[in-house]
Amino acid sequence: MTKITNHLPTKELQRLDAAHHMHPFTEDAALAKKGARIITRGKGVWLTDSEGQEIIDGMAGLWCVNIGYGRKDLAEVAARQMEELCYYNTFFQTSHVPAIALAAKIAELAPDDLNHVFYAGSGSEANDTNIRLVRRYWEVKGQPEKNILIARKNGYHGSTMGGGSLGGMAGIWAQGGLPIPNITHIGEPNWWAQGGDMTPEEFGLLRARELEAKIEELGADRVAAFIGEPIQGAGGVIVPPATYWPEIQRICDKYGILLIADEVITGFGRTGNWFGSETFGIKPHIMTIAKGLSSGYAPIGGSIICDEVYETIAGSGEDFNHGYTYSGHPVAAAVALRNLELMQEEGIVEHVRDVAHPYLMERWQALADHPLVGEAKLVGLMGSIALTPNKDSRAPFASDAGTVGYRCRERCFANNLIMRHVGDRMIIAPPLVITPAEIDILIARATKSLDECYAGLKSDGLLKAA
Ligand code: PXG
C-alpha cells in the first residue's frame, strides 16, 4: 500500500493523482500533463499548498467554507459524535439527536412556514428530492399530470440526472442524454450579456414573463413548479434586475405553481441575510440547501419544506418512497448544527451585512474603473466582474468565450488568489469571516492579476471586440 501524507514531494503526489484520481468537471488527460495544485492546509480565509505557498481563497472552497477553515470546535464535535453514535438511519421509525436538533435549528432560521427538513448528502441529491416532492404533492392533490418543472438556461442545480436536468448548462446536457423528461427551461435574467438596448428593469420583466408564456403554452394544469437560484452562482454570479423576482413571484402565485428557491450557494449568510430569498423578497414553498449549512466541514444538504407541501405529502396515507442512506447523517448533522450555532454566536451574518459587504463593495466597484472591467456586481459576499473590450457596448471579446477569463484566472492563481472565471466573468465568494485587512489583500492581488492579464492581452493582440 502506498502511504500518502502531506510530506510526499509535490511531483510524487501529482503523479499518483494523475494515475488514480479522476477529477470532477475536468479534462483529466490535460490536467495529468500539467499536474494539479495540491492543497494541504486551511486556516480562516487562507490555504497552503504542498510547496508552502499561502493562497487567499476568494471562493470559500466551492462556495461553501462560509465560517472559514480550521475550526477546532467543529473537529471536536465530529469526533465526539463519531464516538457517541457514528451512524444510524432515520428510515424505519427511528430518529437521532443530531438530525432532530439540526432540523429544529433550520426551521428556526428559515423564514415563514418553512418548518420541515428532508435531508440529503448534497445539493444535487436535494434537488433530486425536490423533483420527487413537487410531483408527489400534486399526485396527492389528485393532479398527477401536473408534473413539469420549469427552470432556467444557465442555472445550476447539481450534476446528478435530476440536478443536471434542472440546471440549464449546455455542456452538461451534451453528455449523457439530459435533460430527463418533463423539465423545461426559460431564459436567464442576464442583462449584461443579453439585455441589448433595454434597461435592466425592462429586461428583468421580459425574462420573468417568459415564465408566464411557458405556463400558458403548457397549461397551468401541467406545471408543478418553477426552480431558480436567487442569484445564479455557477452561471457567473448573475444578479437579476430588481424587477425580476417580484414578477416571478406574482406569476407563480397567479397560476398556482410551487416555487423552489435553490439556496445552495445563497443560503446561510452569503447575501447578508440568512437566505437569499429574504434579500430578494421571494416566498418559496421549498428551499434547497447544502454547502454553507455545514460550511463544507461535512457533506450534507436538504430541502426545507413549507407546512402546506409537508402536510399534504405526510398526510397522504402512504409512505413517501424516497431517501438516502446518509439522509441526516449524525456526524454531518452535528457538525452542521455547531456551524450554525457558531454563526449565530459570532454574528457572522451581521458581519457580512454591516462590515465585510460595505467594505468590499467600495473596493469591488472601483474595479469597474479598470480598462478590462465592465460591470462589477456584489451582493453580500458574492461578486462578479464582467471582462470586456468595450464597456459602453458591453461587447464580448472576439476570442472564444472564456479565453480571456481563463487567462485572468491563471494570473490570479499565479498571484496566490483563488478567483474563478465563468466564461469571461470573474467571480468571488470568499469565506464570510473575511476581515477588511484580508479584503485589502484580495483586492490588491485581483488588481495585479487584472493588470497582468490586460498587458498580456495587449501584447497578444486579444483586446478586440467580437
Ligand atoms: N444548487 C446550486 C445552486 C449549486 O450551486 C448545487 C445545487 C449542487 O450541489 P452539490 O453539493 O451536489 O455539488 C450547487 C453546486 C462551480 C460549482 O463551478 C458550483 C457548484 C458545484 C460545483 C462547482 O461554481 N454548485
Side-chain angles (χ1 to χ4, degrees):
M1 282 280 284
T2 316
K3 184 160 181 274
I4 301 180
T5 72
N6 287 342
H7 306 294
L8 281 177
T10 302
K11 284 262 174 284
E12 179 60 3
L13 288 167
Q14 288 173 328
R15 189 189 68 74
L16 290 166
D17 186 61
H20 303 296
H21 176 203
M22 191 166 177
H23 291 243
F25 284 95
T26 297
E27 185 188 342
D28 273 288
L31 178 64
K33 283 205 195 95
K34 191 175 172 194
R37 192 166 184 175
I38 316 262
I39 307 299
T40 53
R41 304 185 71 78
K43 186 80 194 157
V45 301
W46 294 94
L47 297 167
T48 309
D49 74 8
S50 55
E51 295 293 287
Q53 296 282 325
E54 304 245 310
I55 308 160
I56 187 160
D57 185 4
M59 283 306 298
L62 216 43
W63 323 79
C64 52
V65 188
N66 288 0
I67 205 165
Y69 296 91
R71 293 277 188 154
K72 202 159 188 261
D73 207 334
L74 295 183
E76 284 168 359
V77 164
R80 263 205 310 278
Q81 185 59 46
M82 279 191 192
E83 285 184 33
E84 184 130 335
L85 180 69
C86 65
Y87 176 78
Y88 203 70
N89 74 75
T90 53
F91 277 47
F92 305 115
Q93 308 196 356
T94 56
S95 199
H96 52 68
V97 178
I100 296 166
L102 178 61
K105 173 60 75 183
I106 292 170
E108 170 200 318
L109 295 173
D112 303 323
D113 67 343
L114 289 159
N115 286 323
H116 312 274
V117 181
F118 192 102
Y119 290 114
S122 66
S124 300
E125 283 179 10
N127 278 325
D128 281 27
T129 296
N130 291 338
I131 297 173
R132 306 284 314 272
L133 279 171
V134 299
R135 289 182 175 163
R136 178 68 191 145
Y137 172 80
W138 292 113
E139 260 165 35
V140 177
K141 294 284 241 185
Q143 294 178 263
E145 70 294 345
K146 199 165 156 69
N147 60 10
I148 299 175
L149 286 95
I150 302 176
R152 298 162 326 158
K153 293 175 190 148
N154 200 35
Y156 189 79
H157 300 292
S159 129
T160 51
M161 291 300 282
S165 295
L166 289 173
M169 303 264 170
I172 295 180
W173 292 357
Q175 299 173 357
L178 273 61
I180 57 174
N182 288 339
I183 293 179
T184 186
H185 297 78
I186 59 174
E188 58 171 321
N190 184 347
W191 174 79
W192 173 265
Q194 301 167 5
D197 293 334
M198 296 181 139
T199 64
E201 292 71 27
E202 287 166 349
F203 185 70
L205 285 178
L206 177 96
R207 279 292 189 244
R209 287 178 187 157
E210 286 182 26
L211 175 61
E212 188 155 34
K214 184 60 90 176
I215 295 169
E216 294 276 358
E217 173 198 324
L218 296 165
D221 56 350
R222 290 298 322 275
V223 181
F226 172 77
I227 183 168
E229 307 152 77
I231 300 170
Q232 289 154 261
V237 183
I238 309 299
V239 180
T243 48
Y244 181 76
W245 276 111
E247 186 67 0
I248 291 281
Q249 182 77 54
R250 180 191 71 75
I251 294 164
C252 287
D253 292 348
K254 176 177 168 193
Y255 291 92
I257 307 297
L258 295 177
L259 177 51
I260 307 169
D262 186 335
E263 295 265 8
V264 166
I265 286 176
T266 51
F268 305 105
R270 176 58 59 196
T271 69
N273 288 299
W274 277 97
F275 295 94
S277 291
E278 296 165 298
T279 303
F280 289 93
I282 309 166
K283 302 232 170 276
H285 297 92
I286 296 174
M287 280 182 182
T288 323
I289 53 171
K291 295 193 191 270
L293 170 59
S294 68
S295 284
Y297 278 74
I300 184 167
S303 307
I304 323 181
I305 305 159
C306 73
D307 288 342
E308 154 71 11
V309 171
Y310 166 78
E311 282 159 14
T312 301
I313 295 171
S316 73
E318 286 177 61
D319 290 351
F320 177 48
N321 295 319
H322 177 72
Y324 311 102
T325 299
Y326 297 136
S327 285
H329 189 284
V331 178
V335 169
L337 177 62
R338 189 68 195 121
N339 170 60
L340 298 181
E341 287 171 356
L342 284 171
M343 288 193 60
Q344 287 186 302
E345 286 163 24
E346 296 178 9
I348 289 174
V349 180
E350 293 77 10
H351 170 77
V352 173
R353 193 184 59 213
D354 302 334
V355 180
H357 168 81
Y359 192 81
L360 178 56
M361 185 68 167
E362 212 172 291
R363 280 145 195 82
W364 194 248
Q365 281 183 325
L367 291 179
D369 296 334
H370 193 278
L372 206 50
V373 178
E375 67 169 3
K377 290 281 189 187
L378 183 75
V379 178
L381 287 180
M382 187 171 176
S384 57
I385 50 182
L387 306 182
T388 177
N390 186 332
K391 294 172 190 249
D392 296 327
S393 67
R394 314 201 302 274
F397 292 95
S399 51
D400 288 345
T403 308
V404 172
Y406 181 76
R407 288 172 69 119
C408 183
R409 181 260 182 201
E410 289 291 272
R411 293 321 311 148
C412 294
F413 214 40
N415 288 320
N416 287 335
L417 162 66
I418 306 262
M419 176 157 77
R420 284 255 323 281
H421 81 106
V422 176
D424 294 324
R425 282 183 95 85
M426 305 306 298
I427 60 177
I428 54 160
L432 304 184
V433 293
I434 193 167
T435 63
E438 290 163 340
I439 287 172
D440 287 342
I441 297 171
L442 186 153
I443 291 293
R445 291 186 185 182
T447 306
K448 180 167 186 279
S449 305
L450 284 166
D451 288 344
E452 291 170 1
C453 178
Y454 186 64
L457 293 173
K458 232 183 188 166
S459 62
D460 294 344
L462 283 172
L463 275 174
K464 292 188 218 74

